[in-house]
Amino acid sequence: MAEMNFGGVIEQVVTSKEFSLEKAREVLKNETIAVIGYGIQGPGQACNLRDNGFNVIVGQREGKTFEKAIADGWVPGETLFSIEEAAKRGTILCMLLSDAGQIAAWPKIKPHLTPGKTLYYSHGFAICWSDRTGVVPPEDVDVILVAPKGSGTSLRTMFKEGRGLNCSYAVHQDASGHAEEKTLAFGIGIGAGYLFKTTFEREAVSDLTGERGSLMGAIEGLLEAQYEVLRENGHSPSEAFNETVEELTQSLGPLFAQKGMDWMYANCSTTAQRGALDWAPRFRDAIKPVMKTLYEEVRCGNEAQRSIDSNSKPDYREGLTKELAEMRNLEMWQTGAVVRTLRPENSDQGK
Protein backbone atom coordinates (compact mmCIF):
# COMPACT_ATOMS: atom_id res chain seq x y z
CA MET A 1 0.00 0.00 0.00
CA ALA A 2 1.04 3.60 -0.59
CA GLU A 3 0.56 6.42 1.89
CA MET A 4 -0.99 9.56 0.41
CA ASN A 5 -1.58 12.96 1.99
CA PHE A 6 -5.15 14.07 1.36
CA GLY A 7 -5.27 17.68 2.57
CA GLY A 8 -3.31 16.85 5.71
CA VAL A 9 -4.99 13.47 6.32
CA ILE A 10 -2.82 10.42 5.61
CA GLU A 11 -4.60 7.57 3.86
CA GLN A 12 -3.34 4.28 2.51
CA VAL A 13 -4.30 3.56 -1.09
CA VAL A 14 -3.59 0.71 -3.47
CA THR A 15 -2.79 0.98 -7.19
CA SER A 16 -1.54 -1.47 -9.78
CA LYS A 17 2.00 -0.40 -8.80
CA GLU A 18 1.57 -1.91 -5.33
CA PHE A 19 -0.71 -4.76 -6.45
CA SER A 20 0.00 -5.77 -10.03
CA LEU A 21 -2.42 -7.34 -12.48
CA GLU A 22 -0.13 -10.38 -12.58
CA LYS A 23 -0.47 -10.76 -8.81
CA ALA A 24 -4.25 -10.35 -9.07
CA ARG A 25 -4.40 -13.14 -11.65
CA GLU A 26 -2.34 -15.37 -9.39
CA VAL A 27 -4.59 -14.71 -6.37
CA LEU A 28 -7.78 -15.49 -8.32
CA LYS A 29 -6.41 -18.17 -10.67
CA ASN A 30 -8.53 -20.95 -9.18
CA GLU A 31 -11.71 -18.90 -8.88
CA THR A 32 -14.78 -18.92 -11.11
CA ILE A 33 -16.20 -15.41 -10.94
CA ALA A 34 -19.97 -15.45 -11.37
CA VAL A 35 -21.34 -12.00 -12.18
CA ILE A 36 -24.98 -12.12 -11.06
CA GLY A 37 -26.92 -9.43 -12.90
CA TYR A 38 -25.97 -7.78 -16.17
CA GLY A 39 -27.65 -4.41 -15.69
CA ILE A 40 -25.75 -1.33 -14.46
CA GLN A 41 -22.41 -2.58 -13.06
CA GLY A 42 -22.47 -6.10 -14.49
CA PRO A 43 -21.33 -5.45 -18.08
CA GLY A 44 -18.40 -3.23 -17.14
CA GLN A 45 -17.05 -5.47 -14.42
CA ALA A 46 -17.63 -8.74 -16.28
CA CYS A 47 -16.09 -7.54 -19.54
CA ASN A 48 -13.10 -5.88 -17.83
CA LEU A 49 -12.38 -9.06 -15.85
CA ARG A 50 -12.70 -11.18 -18.98
CA ASP A 51 -10.38 -8.89 -20.93
CA ASN A 52 -7.86 -9.01 -18.07
CA GLY A 53 -7.71 -12.80 -18.26
CA PHE A 54 -9.92 -13.95 -15.38
CA ASN A 55 -12.36 -16.87 -15.45
CA VAL A 56 -15.78 -15.20 -15.63
CA ILE A 57 -19.34 -16.38 -16.15
CA VAL A 58 -22.56 -14.35 -16.12
CA GLY A 59 -25.89 -15.13 -14.47
CA GLN A 60 -28.92 -13.34 -15.89
CA ARG A 61 -32.56 -14.23 -16.39
CA GLU A 62 -33.75 -14.38 -19.99
CA GLY A 63 -35.01 -11.23 -21.66
CA LYS A 64 -33.59 -8.04 -23.13
CA THR A 65 -30.62 -7.95 -20.74
CA PHE A 66 -29.83 -11.61 -21.47
CA GLU A 67 -29.70 -10.72 -25.17
CA LYS A 68 -27.36 -7.81 -24.40
CA ALA A 69 -25.02 -10.24 -22.67
CA ILE A 70 -25.02 -12.44 -25.77
CA ALA A 71 -24.24 -9.38 -27.92
CA ASP A 72 -21.27 -8.69 -25.62
CA GLY A 73 -19.86 -12.13 -26.35
CA TRP A 74 -21.18 -14.25 -23.48
CA VAL A 75 -22.22 -17.70 -24.73
CA PRO A 76 -25.36 -19.43 -23.36
CA GLY A 77 -24.47 -22.73 -21.72
CA GLU A 78 -20.74 -21.89 -21.68
CA THR A 79 -20.26 -18.49 -20.05
CA LEU A 80 -23.88 -17.31 -19.73
CA PHE A 81 -26.38 -19.04 -17.45
CA SER A 82 -29.47 -18.54 -15.35
CA ILE A 83 -28.90 -16.78 -12.04
CA GLU A 84 -29.26 -20.03 -10.09
CA GLU A 85 -26.90 -21.99 -12.36
CA ALA A 86 -24.24 -19.26 -12.28
CA ALA A 87 -24.49 -19.12 -8.48
CA LYS A 88 -24.02 -22.88 -8.36
CA ARG A 89 -20.99 -22.85 -10.68
CA GLY A 90 -19.27 -19.76 -9.28
CA THR A 91 -16.79 -19.61 -6.39
CA ILE A 92 -17.03 -15.82 -6.18
CA LEU A 93 -20.66 -14.72 -6.46
CA CYS A 94 -20.86 -11.07 -7.52
CA MET A 95 -24.16 -9.55 -6.44
CA LEU A 96 -24.58 -6.90 -9.13
CA LEU A 97 -28.36 -6.97 -9.34
CA SER A 98 -30.22 -3.84 -8.26
CA ASP A 99 -30.70 -3.49 -4.50
CA ALA A 100 -34.32 -4.59 -4.88
CA GLY A 101 -33.24 -7.40 -7.20
CA GLN A 102 -30.71 -8.65 -4.64
CA ILE A 103 -33.41 -8.87 -1.98
CA ALA A 104 -35.72 -10.77 -4.32
CA ALA A 105 -33.00 -13.16 -5.53
CA TRP A 106 -31.40 -13.84 -2.15
CA PRO A 107 -33.48 -16.97 -1.31
CA LYS A 108 -32.35 -18.53 -4.61
CA ILE A 109 -28.69 -17.58 -4.20
CA LYS A 110 -28.09 -18.31 -0.51
CA PRO A 111 -28.27 -22.13 -0.90
CA HIS A 112 -25.33 -21.96 -3.32
CA LEU A 113 -23.10 -20.09 -0.83
CA THR A 114 -21.36 -23.25 0.29
CA PRO A 115 -18.36 -23.12 2.66
CA GLY A 116 -15.27 -21.51 1.15
CA LYS A 117 -17.10 -19.42 -1.43
CA THR A 118 -16.99 -15.62 -1.60
CA LEU A 119 -19.90 -13.19 -1.70
CA TYR A 120 -18.97 -9.97 -3.50
CA TYR A 121 -20.77 -6.63 -3.63
CA SER A 122 -20.26 -3.26 -5.27
CA HIS A 123 -22.62 -1.53 -2.86
CA GLY A 124 -22.99 -2.03 0.88
CA PHE A 125 -26.78 -1.58 0.90
CA ALA A 126 -27.92 -5.19 1.38
CA ILE A 127 -25.41 -5.93 4.16
CA CYS A 128 -25.51 -2.53 5.90
CA TRP A 129 -29.29 -2.67 6.33
CA SER A 130 -29.59 -6.46 6.62
CA ASP A 131 -32.34 -6.03 9.23
CA ARG A 132 -34.44 -4.50 6.44
CA THR A 133 -33.20 -6.53 3.45
CA GLY A 134 -33.03 -9.96 5.09
CA VAL A 135 -29.61 -10.60 3.50
CA VAL A 136 -27.51 -12.37 6.15
CA PRO A 137 -24.60 -14.38 4.67
CA PRO A 138 -23.47 -17.70 6.15
CA GLU A 139 -20.51 -17.38 8.53
CA ASP A 140 -18.26 -19.70 6.51
CA VAL A 141 -17.95 -17.50 3.39
CA ASP A 142 -15.92 -14.37 2.70
CA VAL A 143 -17.99 -11.21 2.20
CA ILE A 144 -16.15 -8.47 0.30
CA LEU A 145 -16.81 -5.26 -1.60
CA VAL A 146 -15.27 -3.20 -4.39
CA ALA A 147 -17.34 -0.11 -5.20
CA PRO A 148 -16.46 1.82 -8.36
CA LYS A 149 -17.00 5.55 -7.89
CA GLY A 150 -18.97 5.89 -11.08
CA SER A 151 -21.31 4.03 -13.39
CA GLY A 152 -20.58 0.65 -14.95
CA THR A 153 -20.54 2.41 -18.31
CA SER A 154 -17.78 4.74 -17.09
CA LEU A 155 -15.83 1.79 -15.68
CA ARG A 156 -15.88 0.08 -19.07
CA THR A 157 -15.21 3.21 -21.13
CA MET A 158 -12.26 4.29 -18.99
CA PHE A 159 -10.85 0.74 -19.03
CA LYS A 160 -10.90 0.72 -22.84
CA GLU A 161 -9.17 4.11 -22.82
CA GLY A 162 -6.42 2.74 -20.59
CA ARG A 163 -7.62 4.61 -17.51
CA GLY A 164 -9.05 3.41 -14.22
CA LEU A 165 -12.08 4.43 -12.17
CA ASN A 166 -11.36 4.98 -8.47
CA CYS A 167 -12.93 2.38 -6.16
CA SER A 168 -13.44 1.83 -2.46
CA TYR A 169 -13.00 -1.63 -0.98
CA ALA A 170 -14.04 -3.40 2.21
CA VAL A 171 -14.06 -6.77 3.93
CA HIS A 172 -17.17 -7.54 5.97
CA GLN A 173 -16.37 -11.17 6.74
CA ASP A 174 -13.03 -12.97 6.45
CA ALA A 175 -13.73 -16.68 6.73
CA SER A 176 -10.75 -17.75 4.61
CA GLY A 177 -8.10 -15.52 6.15
CA HIS A 178 -7.34 -14.18 2.66
CA ALA A 179 -10.37 -11.98 2.03
CA GLU A 180 -8.50 -8.68 1.79
CA GLU A 181 -6.00 -10.02 -0.72
CA LYS A 182 -8.90 -11.40 -2.75
CA THR A 183 -10.68 -8.03 -2.60
CA LEU A 184 -7.65 -6.10 -3.83
CA ALA A 185 -7.12 -8.61 -6.63
CA PHE A 186 -10.72 -8.15 -7.70
CA GLY A 187 -10.37 -4.36 -7.68
CA ILE A 188 -7.28 -4.50 -9.88
CA GLY A 189 -9.05 -7.04 -12.09
CA ILE A 190 -11.99 -4.73 -12.85
CA GLY A 191 -9.57 -1.91 -13.67
CA ALA A 192 -9.62 0.30 -10.58
CA GLY A 193 -7.68 3.56 -10.78
CA TYR A 194 -6.81 3.43 -7.11
CA LEU A 195 -8.44 1.60 -4.21
CA PHE A 196 -9.18 3.15 -0.81
CA LYS A 197 -10.38 1.27 2.25
CA THR A 198 -13.83 1.67 3.77
CA THR A 199 -16.51 -0.44 5.47
CA PHE A 200 -19.80 -1.73 4.08
CA GLU A 201 -21.65 0.76 6.29
CA ARG A 202 -19.56 3.80 5.34
CA GLU A 203 -19.79 2.90 1.64
CA ALA A 204 -23.55 2.52 1.77
CA VAL A 205 -24.14 5.73 3.73
CA SER A 206 -21.76 7.86 1.65
CA ASP A 207 -23.13 6.43 -1.59
CA LEU A 208 -26.77 7.15 -0.80
CA THR A 209 -25.84 10.60 0.50
CA GLY A 210 -23.90 11.40 -2.66
CA GLU A 211 -26.64 10.20 -4.99
CA ARG A 212 -29.25 12.31 -3.23
CA GLY A 213 -26.79 15.18 -2.82
CA SER A 214 -24.14 16.66 -5.08
CA LEU A 215 -24.05 13.81 -7.62
CA MET A 216 -27.70 13.80 -8.65
CA GLY A 217 -30.49 15.16 -6.44
CA ALA A 218 -28.95 18.42 -5.26
CA ILE A 219 -27.40 19.26 -8.62
CA GLU A 220 -30.72 18.80 -10.44
CA GLY A 221 -32.48 20.95 -7.85
CA LEU A 222 -29.83 23.68 -8.15
CA LEU A 223 -29.94 23.67 -11.94
CA GLU A 224 -33.74 23.82 -12.01
CA ALA A 225 -33.81 26.70 -9.52
CA GLN A 226 -31.32 28.84 -11.43
CA TYR A 227 -32.90 28.09 -14.81
CA GLU A 228 -36.37 28.98 -13.52
CA VAL A 229 -35.21 32.28 -11.99
CA LEU A 230 -33.53 33.30 -15.25
CA ARG A 231 -36.59 32.38 -17.30
CA GLU A 232 -38.95 34.16 -14.88
CA ASN A 233 -36.92 37.30 -15.43
CA GLY A 234 -37.17 37.28 -19.21
CA HIS A 235 -34.05 35.39 -20.28
CA SER A 236 -34.48 33.11 -23.29
CA PRO A 237 -34.34 29.32 -22.96
CA SER A 238 -31.04 29.21 -24.84
CA GLU A 239 -29.46 31.86 -22.62
CA ALA A 240 -30.77 30.32 -19.41
CA PHE A 241 -29.57 26.83 -20.36
CA ASN A 242 -26.13 27.97 -21.46
CA GLU A 243 -25.58 29.97 -18.27
CA THR A 244 -26.93 27.16 -16.08
CA VAL A 245 -25.84 23.86 -17.63
CA GLU A 246 -23.84 24.09 -20.84
CA GLU A 247 -21.05 26.29 -19.52
CA LEU A 248 -20.82 24.17 -16.37
CA THR A 249 -20.52 20.83 -18.16
CA GLN A 250 -18.61 21.84 -21.28
CA SER A 251 -16.27 24.57 -20.05
CA LEU A 252 -15.89 24.86 -16.30
CA GLY A 253 -16.34 21.22 -15.26
CA PRO A 254 -13.32 19.99 -17.21
CA LEU A 255 -11.23 22.80 -15.68
CA PHE A 256 -11.89 21.93 -12.04
CA ALA A 257 -11.81 18.21 -12.84
CA GLN A 258 -8.32 18.72 -14.25
CA LYS A 259 -6.67 20.74 -11.49
CA GLY A 260 -9.20 21.74 -8.85
CA MET A 261 -11.72 24.49 -8.15
CA ASP A 262 -9.10 27.09 -7.25
CA TRP A 263 -7.41 26.58 -10.62
CA MET A 264 -10.74 26.91 -12.39
CA TYR A 265 -11.39 30.18 -10.49
CA ALA A 266 -7.93 31.44 -11.51
CA ASN A 267 -8.80 30.87 -15.16
CA CYS A 268 -12.05 32.86 -15.04
CA SER A 269 -12.61 36.62 -15.15
CA THR A 270 -11.95 38.72 -12.06
CA THR A 271 -15.66 39.56 -11.93
CA ALA A 272 -16.55 35.85 -11.87
CA GLN A 273 -13.90 35.17 -9.26
CA ARG A 274 -15.15 37.87 -6.90
CA GLY A 275 -18.78 36.87 -7.18
CA ALA A 276 -18.07 33.17 -6.74
CA LEU A 277 -15.89 33.74 -3.68
CA ASP A 278 -18.56 35.95 -2.10
CA TRP A 279 -21.54 33.71 -2.83
CA ALA A 280 -20.06 30.22 -2.25
CA PRO A 281 -20.22 30.57 1.57
CA ARG A 282 -23.85 31.67 1.38
CA PHE A 283 -24.80 28.62 -0.66
CA ARG A 284 -22.77 26.38 1.69
CA ASP A 285 -24.50 27.80 4.77
CA ALA A 286 -27.93 27.46 3.17
CA ILE A 287 -27.37 23.92 1.93
CA LYS A 288 -25.45 22.36 4.85
CA PRO A 289 -28.52 21.97 7.11
CA VAL A 290 -30.26 20.08 4.30
CA MET A 291 -27.18 17.88 3.87
CA LYS A 292 -27.10 17.13 7.61
CA THR A 293 -30.75 16.07 7.53
CA LEU A 294 -30.10 13.97 4.42
CA TYR A 295 -27.13 12.24 6.07
CA GLU A 296 -29.13 11.35 9.17
CA GLU A 297 -32.03 10.03 7.08
CA VAL A 298 -29.57 7.80 5.23
CA ARG A 299 -27.60 6.72 8.30
CA CYS A 300 -30.65 5.65 10.31
CA GLY A 301 -32.02 3.56 7.43
CA ASN A 302 -35.06 5.66 6.53
CA GLU A 303 -33.80 6.28 3.00
CA ALA A 304 -32.98 2.61 2.56
CA GLN A 305 -36.51 1.68 3.62
CA ARG A 306 -38.03 4.21 1.24
CA SER A 307 -35.96 2.74 -1.56
CA ILE A 308 -36.96 -0.84 -0.66
CA ASP A 309 -40.64 0.07 -0.41
CA SER A 310 -40.66 2.00 -3.68
CA ASN A 311 -38.53 -0.36 -5.75
CA SER A 312 -40.45 -3.47 -4.68
CA LYS A 313 -43.79 -2.20 -5.96
CA PRO A 314 -45.09 -4.17 -8.96
CA ASP A 315 -45.62 -0.95 -10.94
CA TYR A 316 -42.20 0.50 -10.02
CA ARG A 317 -40.92 0.59 -13.59
CA GLU A 318 -44.02 2.34 -14.88
CA GLY A 319 -43.77 4.96 -12.14
CA LEU A 320 -40.06 5.50 -12.77
CA THR A 321 -40.64 5.90 -16.50
CA LYS A 322 -43.28 8.54 -15.79
CA GLU A 323 -41.06 10.49 -13.39
CA LEU A 324 -38.10 10.43 -15.77
CA ALA A 325 -40.35 11.56 -18.62
CA GLU A 326 -41.50 14.49 -16.50
CA MET A 327 -37.87 15.50 -15.98
CA ARG A 328 -37.01 14.99 -19.64
CA ASN A 329 -39.95 17.16 -20.68
CA LEU A 330 -38.90 20.11 -18.53
CA GLU A 331 -38.18 23.10 -20.74
CA MET A 332 -34.60 23.16 -19.43
CA TRP A 333 -33.80 19.65 -20.65
CA GLN A 334 -35.78 20.04 -23.87
CA THR A 335 -33.63 23.11 -24.51
CA GLY A 336 -30.58 21.03 -23.67
CA ALA A 337 -31.49 18.48 -26.33
CA VAL A 338 -31.43 21.23 -28.93
CA VAL A 339 -28.24 22.81 -27.60
CA ARG A 340 -26.42 19.46 -27.81
CA THR A 341 -27.18 19.22 -31.51
CA LEU A 342 -25.50 22.60 -31.98
CA ARG A 343 -22.20 21.58 -30.39
CA PRO A 344 -19.41 21.67 -33.01
CA GLU A 345 -18.88 17.91 -32.95
CA ASN A 346 -22.54 17.42 -33.87
CA SER A 347 -22.85 20.16 -36.46
CA ASP A 348 -21.96 20.10 -40.13
CA GLN A 349 -19.03 22.42 -39.37
CA GLY A 350 -17.64 19.92 -36.91
CA LYS A 351 -17.75 17.02 -39.39
Side-chain angles (χ1 to χ4, degrees), residues 19-20 60 123 155 159 223 228 242 267 274 284 293 351:
F19 203 108
S20 69
Q60 174 62 43
H123 186 24
L155 182 73
F159 176 86
L223 297 177
E228 288 172 6
N242 273 277
N267 284 273
R274 182 70 268 142
R284 179 198 61 215
T293 300
K351 293 180 180 177

Side-chain angles (χ1 to χ4, degrees), residues 51-260:
D51 289 356
N52 270 336
F54 296 87
N55 181 25
V56 188
I57 61 175
V58 171
Q60 174 62 43
R61 66 175 180 266
E62 292 191 12
K64 185 184 295 185
T65 306
F66 192 90
E67 296 303 317
K68 172 177 168 45
I70 293 174
D72 286 345
W74 304 99
V75 181
E78 295 182 16
T79 55
L80 178 60
F81 303 94
S82 69
I83 288 175
E84 293 89 339
E85 183 64 24
K88 179 181 178 181
R89 290 171 176 255
T91 60
I92 301 179
L93 308 190
C94 304
M95 292 289 279
L96 299 183
L97 297 159
S98 67
D99 293 324
Q102 290 180 27
I103 296 170
W106 179 243
K108 298 178 181 179
I109 290 174
K110 187 175 180 179
H112 299 294
L113 279 169
T114 51
K117 286 195 177 187
T118 298
L119 183 60
Y120 166 94
Y121 289 90
S122 283
H123 186 24
F125 189 103
I127 299 296
C128 177
W129 293 294
S130 59
D131 58 328
R132 299 168 186 266
T133 64
V135 177
V136 180
E139 295 181 355
D140 50 10
V141 302
D142 290 343
V143 183
I144 65 175
L145 172 146
V146 177
K149 298 298 104 179
S151 69
T153 301
S154 298
L155 182 73
R156 181 62 175 164
T157 300
M158 292 172 72
F159 176 86
K160 292 166 73 173
E161 293 173 350
R163 301 186 292 143
L165 187 63
N166 299 334
C167 302
S168 60
Y169 75 96
V171 174
H172 177 71
Q173 194 166 279
D174 186 3
S176 69
H178 303 286
E180 181 155 336
E181 184 180 48
K182 200 181 299 182
T183 308
L184 294 174
F186 208 101
I188 296 301
I190 65 172
Y194 77 84
L195 291 148
F196 60 95
K197 197 167 188 175
T198 187
T199 66
F200 271 65
E201 180 181 4
R202 290 204 302 267
E203 191 285 327
V205 171
S206 63
D207 189 78
L208 263 67
T209 300
E211 291 167 348
R212 286 147 180 76
S214 65
L215 302 179
M216 295 175 69
I219 191 66
E220 172 66 15
L222 171 63
L223 297 177
E224 285 186 26
Q226 180 170 305
Y227 183 89
E228 288 172 6
V229 168
L230 289 171
R231 289 289 289 123
E232 288 163 4
N233 283 277
H235 298 269
S236 70
S238 183
E239 183 170 60
F241 185 84
N242 273 277
E243 293 293 350
T244 300
V245 179
E246 191 73 354
E247 189 171 351
L248 170 66
T249 60
Q250 302 304 301
S251 176
L252 302 184
L255 292 181
F256 66 78
Q258 183 180 6
K259 293 187 178 180

